[in-house]
Amino acid sequence: MRCLLTVVVLLLGACAATPADVQTADIDPNDAWAGLEGRVSPDGSVITCRSIKVTGTRFPIKQCKSEKVWEWWDAYTEGNTKDALDNIQRNRCSGQLGKC
């Protein structure tokens, strides 16, 4: 009976234990998770999450990054978009095969 009581107490103690708080140094500013939204990342900016549309599906994905990484990401995607449009306009390509 005593052994059974000891096992039950140990199991309940293990269930009641909470995970350790995430340290700032453990956060990757490039790839955080939703539970870290609002915390400060090691680069000194706050982690924010965005819903990103994915081609081929109706469901957006949620990506979380630090504000500094999001600034870089926005500039990077804007540059790619501008380059793609400039290439189409310079080539006067209509988008049809063999017409470029």
Side-chain angles (χ1 to χ4, degrees):
M1 182 68 174
R2 209 174 240 202
C3 182
L4 180 62
L5 183 61
T6 304
V7 170
V8 170
V9 169
L10 288 175
L11 287 176
L12 289 176
C15 291
T18 56
D21 194 23
V22 177
Q23 299 296 322
T24 302
D26 295 336
I27 299 172
D28 181 9
N30 294 313
D31 188 29
W33 56 93
L36 297 176
E37 188 171 15
R39 292 191 184 202
V40 177
S41 70
D43 64 7
S45 61
V46 177
I47 293 176
T48 55
C49 297
R50 294 183 184 176
S51 291
I52 308 293
K53 293 181 181 179
V54 179
T55 304
T57 181
R58 296 182 200 175
F59 305 107
I61 60 171
K62 189 172 190 176
Q63 285 190 347
C64 302
K65 302 180 185 309
S66 71
E67 289 176 348
K68 288 182 181 178
V69 175
W70 278 123
E71 288 174 11
W72 174 85
W73 178 261
D74 292 339
Y76 175 74
T77 55
E78 184 179 324
N80 282 345
T81 304
K82 185 179 181 322
D83 289 345
L85 288 174
D86 286 347
N87 286 338
I88 291 171
Q89 291 172 350
R90 279 190 212 117
N91 291 334
R92 296 190 175 103
C93 181
S94 63
Q96 297 175 359
L97 292 175
K99 299 285 184 176
C100 295

